[in-house]
Amino acid sequence: MSTLPDPAPEAPSAEAPVAEPGRESLHYAVRNPKLIIGVSLVAILLAVGAIGPVLLGDGNPNEYVGPQAAAPDGTYWMGTTTFGQDVYAQFVHGLRATFLVGVVGGAIAAVIAMLVGFLAGYRGGVTDEILNMLTNVVLVIPALAVLLIINAYMGVRSVAVQGLFIGLTSWPWAARAIRAQTFSLRTREFVDLARLSGSGTWRIVFREIAPNMSSYLFMMFILLFGGSILIASSLDFIGLGPTEGVSLGLMLQSAQQWSALQLGMWWWFVPPGAGITAIVGALYVANVGLDEVFNPKLRES
Amino acid sequence: MRRYFARKLLIYALTFVVAVTVNWMIPRFMPGDPVSAMVARARVSQPEAAEAMRSYYNNLFGFDEPLWQQYLHFWGALVRGDFGISIFVFPTPVGDVLLDALPYTLGLMIPAVLLSWFVGNWIGALSARRKVLDNTVLPAGYLLTAMPYMWIAVILAWALGAKAGWFPISGGYSLDIQPGWSAAFVLDALHHWVLPFLSLFLVALGGWAIGMRNMIIYELESDYASYLSALGAPQRLIRRYAFRNAVLPQVTGLALQLGVLVAGALVTEIVFAYPGLGSLILAAIQNQDFFLLQGAFLFIVIGVLIANFLIDIVYVVVDPRTRTGMAGGTS
């Protein structure tokens, strides 16, 4: 459920120049509870994913190490699977994979969205018509359905490749949002001035237009990041995840496949889902916080 | 208005062509020798199934034909409604297998999507700018919308199914009842329908409530709302105007979310072994039944296109600007 609200007709940051916009944003950022809660939750989970596997000695999380189907206790904090795999070890390794797929998928989608959105919005005319048509076509085709076919035929081995394909299919809504923002900025005086002084398209886009919507671009990346994580977990769950390693989605899939539900092994399926929900939810909440920091209109309530 | 529909239909036609082309291209341009690899991987027990698979693949790829001819043949088969033969339930045509599963998926999705949209918008509109309600709706909304569909499904199945024993957690109906239009079967099917419906409904609900809340706040900040309140108009009236304006982006949002909702329905069905398209896709993947998988892909694309078109019609009804050809609608 991740679409940015339609951009306000004018970008707030392009209005009367604020003395030190960075300082002012920071002032509100450290006083915004939503942003603080969201960012700290993501940071904690990131730290667990980064340090957890190291503390466990970087062993293979899928090895059969403990008693079979044991409930959580002092040794196995999250219990063990039917085969005696340590759920906690899988969880911390899975967090890594989940963050990785979010970063790769989100970054690739953001880059494509920016290229398409800036070019369509700034150039206008025939370029815009073609790119807009392309965006609309990709937008209508359900990303997961395409990924099903691609993954089933190609067989995806690694998390990074999974992220790549997710990025290639999930950019359209972001491209449309950027296009709309660029449209509203391209007739401003400072853009005209840059054009008169002979700057090329990409120089104007990256020196004049992009900085004026940087907050918007950053929020868009956060939503693409969360969206990639959700799509990846669905793919993993259907059985089209990476064939090597472990991810939170793959944990859910094996819990489902080996009837953890019927056996009442809640410690097998609760942690991975809770991990995904916590990451994505924290990102959304942080995003709302950022929105309030950057947009003065939303601050007062 | 004619221009609006013409443009939409052009996009949908183009989308369909692209989808079919992708469907044709991926197996065709896959590295390696696809036919023998797929026949080997399928490990079908019946020799006639393996033979049918090999000959159909060879026919599909048609190595002796030029590419454009293969492409035309692919379209030709599609127009005749020929999606190939399913390996998983050999020798039933893929089209029939999919049509049998379709009512379950639609019966799950349509009520869940529509009800979550209406209830979510209603809750979101109520909670905007009302401190107490907002403080509960907003966190709950973000929690729900961040949940993976399959996880909430597993949790509900575990809590209300396995633990409490109120609802069955697997299948679309009890195995001892003959599917038909008898009262016993309908009741039984409804009983099995509740949990998958509920998990789809809840996740989608959060997103709509948050979207509506934000839109209403945006509208209440606008000039016409301030003007109305300066004139002394009752708060109820202002909220009603805000609501009517805020609904428009939510209608567009419904079209944008269709892909996510379909994905959610697929994984929810897998959790509950619900006999719809999702479970079929899982079976197709496990049995390397590529015709079934590709057929399911086309079914999903066609369904999403039809739904998009219906939403466009609704948009014309609710937004008068599209009728007068002024603006509105996101092309």
Side-chain angles (χ1 to χ4, degrees):
Chain A
M1 300 276 136
S2 52
T3 35
L4 283 174
D6 276 345
E10 67 252 74
S13 44
E15 297 297 303
V18 184
E20 280 169 290
R23 178 83 58 85
E24 194 210 355
S25 297
L26 195 66
H27 172 87
Y28 284 102
V30 294
R31 284 168 183 75
N32 188 300
K34 286 176 191 138
L35 187 61
I36 292 169
I37 292 173
V39 168
S40 12
L41 195 51
V42 172
I44 290 170
L45 287 164
L46 190 61
V48 171
I51 302 168
V54 179
L55 293 183
L56 289 171
D58 269 323
N60 179 2
N62 290 331
E63 257 170 55
Y64 306 155
V65 288
Q68 291 174 353
D73 60 23
T75 334
Y76 300 103
W77 296 351
M78 290 183 181
T80 58
T81 68
T82 321
F83 311 104
Q85 294 153 315
D86 184 355
V87 177
Y88 176 72
Q90 291 192 329
F91 180 75
V92 292
H93 279 93
L95 275 178
R96 276 188 178 184
T98 299
F99 273 110
L100 181 64
V101 86
V103 169
V104 174
I108 290 172
V111 167
I112 300 176
M114 286 200 284
L115 289 178
V116 173
F118 281 137
L119 203 59
Y122 180 73
R123 278 280 176 81
V126 182
T127 317
D128 179 37
E129 281 290 326
I130 294 170
L131 288 178
N132 198 22
M133 198 62 102
L134 174 77
T135 308
N136 281 318
V137 166
V138 183
L139 188 67
V140 177
I141 302 179
L144 188 91
V146 181
L147 290 169
L148 280 181
I149 302 282
I150 293 177
N151 288 18
Y153 273 105
M154 314 267 271
V156 167
R157 290 223 157 56
S158 72
V159 178
V161 176
Q162 189 186 34
L164 170 74
F165 284 126
I166 291 174
L168 289 177
T169 49
S170 56
W171 53 270
W173 69 264
R176 229 161 75 159
I178 292 177
R179 171 182 170 267
Q181 282 278 39
T182 311
F183 237 68
S184 73
L185 282 174
R186 72 166 180 166
T187 47
R188 297 293 178 86
E189 282 100 350
F190 63 89
V191 178
D192 286 338
L193 193 64
R195 205 177 298 132
L196 282 176
S197 61
S199 303
T201 301
W202 289 112
R203 194 181 154 83
I204 294 179
V205 162
F206 286 114
R207 293 293 292 274
E208 309 293 337
I209 293 180
N212 275 299
M213 49 191 277
S214 55
S215 60
Y216 194 78
L217 294 176
F218 186 65
M219 284 158 52
M220 182 199 77
F221 173 70
I222 290 182
L223 292 183
L224 287 171
F225 185 101
S228 293
I229 290 177
L230 285 179
I231 295 183
S233 68
S234 295
L235 278 173
D236 293 354
F237 187 73
I238 296 176
L240 292 174
T243 41
E244 282 159 15
V246 61
S247 76
L248 296 182
L250 285 173
M251 288 173 73
L252 276 175
Q253 189 245 344
S254 65
Q256 165 78 11
Q257 192 176 357
W258 305 106
S259 334
L261 181 59
Q262 285 81 357
L263 299 170
M265 295 166 63
W266 55 267
W267 57 88
W268 195 354
F269 56 77
V270 169
I276 297 170
T277 308
I279 295 175
V280 177
L283 285 172
Y284 286 172
V285 171
N287 202 42
V288 181
L290 277 179
D291 206 6
E292 290 175 0
V293 169
F294 292 133
N295 189 351
K297 268 190 182 175
L298 297 172
R299 263 179 217 149
E300 29 106 39
S301 75
Chain B
M1 184 165 83
R2 185 168 296 168
R3 207 174 154 262
Y4 168 82
F5 274 118
R7 196 181 161 79
K8 290 286 186 185
L9 284 176
L10 176 67
I11 289 171
Y12 297 151
L14 212 60
T15 307
F16 185 67
V17 172
V18 169
V20 171
T21 308
V22 165
N23 212 11
W24 173 80
M25 259 172 61
I26 289 176
R28 183 66 191 76
F29 294 107
M30 189 179 91
D33 176 10
V35 175
S36 48
M38 277 182 287
V39 173
R41 258 192 297 175
R43 291 190 298 271
V44 279
S45 47
Q46 301 112 312
E48 69 259 43
E51 205 38 59
M53 193 174 169
R54 184 181 296 277
S55 74
Y56 190 87
Y57 272 130
N58 273 324
N59 209 353
L60 182 69
F61 298 124
F63 291 121
D64 47 336
E65 290 177 341
L67 276 178
W68 63 270
Q69 229 168 35
Q70 297 171 34
Y71 186 60
L72 285 185
H73 284 169
F74 191 75
W75 270 101
L78 194 68
V79 170
R80 288 194 305 273
D82 175 9
F83 292 92
I85 304 287
S86 167
I87 310 296
F88 165 57
V89 270
F90 188 79
T92 324
V94 165
D96 295 355
V97 180
L98 290 171
L99 280 179
D100 282 345
L102 199 58
Y104 288 98
T105 299
L106 291 180
L108 197 58
M109 270 198 80
I110 293 176
V113 169
L114 290 181
L115 275 175
S116 67
W117 193 82
F118 281 109
V119 177
N121 281 338
W122 180 67
I123 293 177
L126 272 187
S127 65
R129 287 274 184 262
R130 285 188 180 130
K131 209 115 212 148
V132 182
L133 204 55
D134 203 22
N135 284 345
T136 49
V137 166
L138 204 58
Y142 276 110
L143 185 67
L144 286 175
T145 195
M147 279 188 184
Y149 279 92
M150 60 272 184
W151 190 58
I152 198 172
V154 170
I155 297 289
L156 284 179
W158 175 59
L160 302 181
K163 281 266 167 194
W166 294 344
F167 298 102
I169 55 174
S170 154
Y173 48 85
S174 304
L175 292 175
D176 53 359
I177 294 186
Q178 190 66 30
W181 284 113
S182 65
F185 174 75
V186 171
L187 276 179
D188 184 60
L190 271 179
H191 196 204
H192 282 77
W193 171 86
V194 173
L195 281 185
F197 162 79
L198 201 62
S199 43
L200 266 181
F201 172 79
L202 283 176
V203 178
L205 182 74
W208 299 130
I210 291 171
M212 187 44 131
R213 169 202 174 265
N214 294 344
M215 286 312 302
I216 290 268
I217 290 179
Y218 181 77
E219 292 294 333
L220 288 179
E221 300 267 311
S222 63
D223 292 342
Y224 73 86
S226 319
Y227 181 60
L228 272 177
S229 91
L231 286 181
Q235 197 60 26
R236 260 182 72 86
L237 183 76
I238 301 174
R239 275 187 168 263
R240 197 156 75 219
Y241 278 121
F243 183 80
R244 297 180 91 180
N245 279 312
V247 150
L248 296 179
Q250 291 289 87
V251 175
T252 317
L254 186 58
L256 286 177
Q257 287 297 328
L258 279 173
V260 176
L261 292 164
V262 170
L266 297 183
V267 294
T268 305
E269 283 179 10
I270 292 175
V271 171
F272 292 100
Y274 203 73
L277 290 180
S279 299
L280 267 189
I281 287 175
L282 181 70
I285 288 165
Q286 286 172 345
N287 295 287
Q288 303 280 335
D289 188 345
F290 288 98
F291 302 130
L292 192 54
L293 193 62
Q294 290 190 280
F297 169 74
L298 280 183
F299 261 57
I300 291 173
V301 170
I302 293 170
V304 168
L305 288 178
I306 293 173
N308 263 293
F309 188 63
L310 292 178
I311 291 172
D312 289 340
I313 294 176
V314 170
Y315 201 91
V316 169
V317 174
V318 294
D319 187 353
R321 284 173 303 181
T322 47
R323 263 172 281 158
T324 54
M326 281 168 64
T330 35
S331 53

